[in-house]
Amino acid sequence: MVRSMFRFLFRRIALIVPTFIGVTFMAFLLIHLVPGDPIEARVGERGIAPERLAELRHEFGYDLPMWQQFFKYEVQIVKGDLGMSVVTQQSVWHEFITLFPATVELSIAAILFAMLIGLPMGVIAAVRRGSAFDYGLMGMSVTGASMPIFWWGLMMILIFSVTLGITPVSGRISDAFFVEPWSGFMLIDCYWSEDEGACSSAWSHMILPMIVLGTIPLAIIARMTRSSMLEVLNEDYVRTARAKGLSTPRVVIVHALRNALIPVVTVIGLSVSGLLGGAILTETIFSWPGVGHWLVESIARRDYPVLQGGSLLIAVLVIMVNLGVDLLYGFLNPRIRR
Amino acid sequence: MALLEIRNLAVEFGTARGRFRAVDGVDVTVDAGEILCIVGESGSGKSVSMLAAMGLIAWPGRVTADVMRFDGTDLLGLSARDRRKVVGKDMAMVFQEPMTSLNPCYPIGWQIAEALRVHNAVPRNKVQDRVVELLEQVGIPDAGRRMNAFPHQMSGGMNQRVMIAMAISCNPRLLIADEPTTALDVTIQKQILDLLIDLQASHGMGLVLITHDMGVVAETAHRVQVMYAGQMVEEQSTDALFAAPRHPYTAALLDALPERAHGRARLPTIPGVVPGIDDRPTGCLFNPRCGLVTDLCRSTKPLTANGVRCHTPLGAPA
């Protein structure tokens, strides 16, 4: 069992190699297909002497044939060097690792929010199928899943920040507080700093982006849980559980939900990998200093190393999350534990 | 006093075309230590009537009965909570499909232990021992190790033994077995049936055996009820039923047994099919397929008299 588990892990980790080549190639190709290069983007509309432009291009190696540039880049990556941002002259890894905790924190908060509300709602809707609650929830779920995030974020800001003045408009914490960035996760750092004001400030900054980012996953999780539960509730073993004289909550949660979770976990895993890539719209609306925002800006600046390195790191993370989901399957479903 | 007594049971389901009675006016009585067989074709309401007795008909199904008593307790008057104290403890049920009736996510031992725990059948520290004892009782070898197996690691016959172990875990006074051998192959069928009969005898349980196999009925039952299209059409002791069936449907069923058809060129069959939701005939539900049909049968529903629901019962002075 343990050995087969390691074999499974090893096979999945070996998959990272082709994925890595594919991702770097795609990122490289796509950004180079966009007209302009980092030098031109930096120069902007002011213009520059053609000789100077050629000189700078040569300095950064942008005058080489594309395949040579790609090859050089791959060699550099294999050595473990993601390169420097053309714009800030900071290492890509350093920039990523500074911004990434903000994205992770927001993603985790959003997915927890979506699960904590979506799972119970889906379960209740399935148990009370055809009831007003069921119809209401499914209606809301369609609305939630099809809501434009940009509009939804602005509406939330308009209502809660502008009109009611309950929550701040943007950022991760109020300027009045300084918290030692120990883990990079604002909520954890605030908790450790034992500064109650900082804690509540961090929470109030988190709540709107969390809801906005969690809305679509919430709608999908609720729907998926409902349909999966409806199927499982008709299974013979649920009848067996009731024939034992178990209470309805126990039948539903212990016997049905555990089986119904398998497809739901897939959906949650997909949502998490999507969120880790940076919630570009949400991060933009709330000026959240995460990687989504960073990557979008790197496109505008033609910051090749940032874009390529960032995509690669996110791809690796997505693979990790999927691996975690697959391991979780084995836990939930003994039939695939081999 | 009868262990289980049901009078005028009806189970209705809502369908797109209105309410449908899956079980209509069924009476069931089981005494302690008795084996009652309920026979009938698929869809004749035999499973549904027993599920109703167990309280397992889920909304939107609706159960009504004039009397539904278990050991003198009115089951319909109980709160859901009190009824759950009876179900799974004093009356237990074994189902048709052993491979899908156990939860794939939990080890079999855990699933048996759950029944023991929820009814506080044995002290907490004795639960594991009791599980091993039960598994040995139903003939599962190497019980101490097998209790950690998952249902998908066991055969259908073994899983059915687990289901039986689970059902008898709290020493029920009534065991309902709903076609417990249908999904199993023939040699295993015999073993499971023998196991049920042995347990019934050693525990002195009442046993309701739902089946469509007349051979099983002949070998096991003390008393037989024949169901057709949601109604009970005949009830007799086993010997009397096989010797002299009174309802034309029962007679036709027995005639269709290969064992009884020696010397005939073709095996007799019953013409037509069981009426569905839409084509229920007026009068007696069996009249379109009956050889002894009269005008009365076509116009008026027969009532049960002397254990048979028929206007023209066999063996009666005409």
Side-chain angles (χ1 to χ4, degrees), chain A residues 129 235-237 239-240 242-248 250 254-256 258-259 332-335 337-338, chain B residues 54 56 59 84 87-88 95 97 100-106 110-111 114-115 118-119 150 152 163 166:
Chain A
R129 67 187 170 285
E235 294 283 349
D236 289 347
Y237 53 77
R239 188 182 56 191
T240 307
R242 290 199 292 131
K244 281 192 215 177
L246 305 181
S247 65
T248 305
R250 188 168 169 97
V254 177
H255 285 269
R258 171 115 178 231
N259 284 283
L332 283 172
N333 185 355
R335 278 164 297 187
R337 237 184 267 161
R338 284 271 157 182
Chain B
M54 287 286 286
L56 296 178
W59 183 89
R84 284 199 298 269
V87 167
F95 299 100
E97 293 282 347
T100 55
S101 292
L102 288 164
N103 194 322
C105 282
Y106 300 100
W110 185 93
Q111 298 190 46
E114 186 185 30
V118 74
H119 294 293
F150 288 92
H152 72 276
M163 284 296 292
M166 196 189 299

Side-chain angles (χ1 to χ4, degrees), chain A residues 2 12 17 34 41 47 57 83-84 105 123 129 140 144 160-161 189 206 233 243 249 264 267 270 279 283 293 304:
Chain A
V2 175
R12 293 301 301 264
V17 177
V34 181
R57 276 193 179 144
M84 305 272 242
E105 187 174 33
V123 170
R129 67 187 170 285
M140 266 159 51
F160 291 101
S161 306
D189 290 342
M206 170 64 83
L233 284 172
V264 179
V267 170
L270 287 173
E283 287 183 0
H293 205 57
Y304 294 167

Side-chain angles (χ1 to χ4, degrees), chain A residues 250-272:
Chain A
R250 188 168 169 97
V251 171
V252 169
I253 294 164
V254 177
H255 285 269
L257 183 59
R258 171 115 178 231
N259 284 283
L261 272 182
I262 294 164
V264 179
V265 164
T266 314
V267 170
I268 295 176
L270 287 173
S271 301
V272 171

